[in-house]
Amino acid sequence: MSPAQRKERRRRAPAASRAPSGPTERAEEQAARAVQPLPPWKWRTFPVFFALAVGVFLGVYGGVLAGYVNGRDGNGTPTLVLFVVAAILLGFAFSRLMTRWMIGRRWVKPRAKRR
């Protein structure tokens, strides 16, 4: 038997073996195929903040590299301030990510919410 025939046989076998037995199983398949609506987007969430922090850091880093390539010398204070702000945002984002990871591994217990 050629490899193409074996592959075709493998494709046909599972489809024939799992034929729906009754109307309830067909309804379940149709419900599973139905597209679920997306939940409303919450802008004040961690993934949005993390994306912002990484984007700011990469933007600042790319801007400084572009300025260095152009050979612009002068006052480095604005660059230093931008790097510090971007690094603080990125550090907060990574600390939050690590905390969630440690809670997920049950290495630390989550704190109760303050009132």
Side-chain angles (χ1 to χ4, degrees), residues 4 11 16 19 27-29 43 45 49 55 69 83 89 103 108-110:
R11 285 184 189 158
E28 288 175 4
E29 283 182 18
W43 286 102
T45 58
F49 171 74
V69 169
F83 263 122
L89 286 174
I103 289 172
V108 294
K109 292 182 182 178

Side-chain angles (χ1 to χ4, degrees), residues 13-14 18-19 21 27 37-38 41 43 46-48 52-53 65-66 68 70 80 88 95-96:
R18 61 179 175 104
S21 62
L38 292 174
W41 184 256
W43 286 102
F46 176 72
V48 174
L52 172 75
L65 285 178
Y68 181 73
N70 283 337
L80 179 65
I88 288 172
S95 70
R96 184 98 166 125

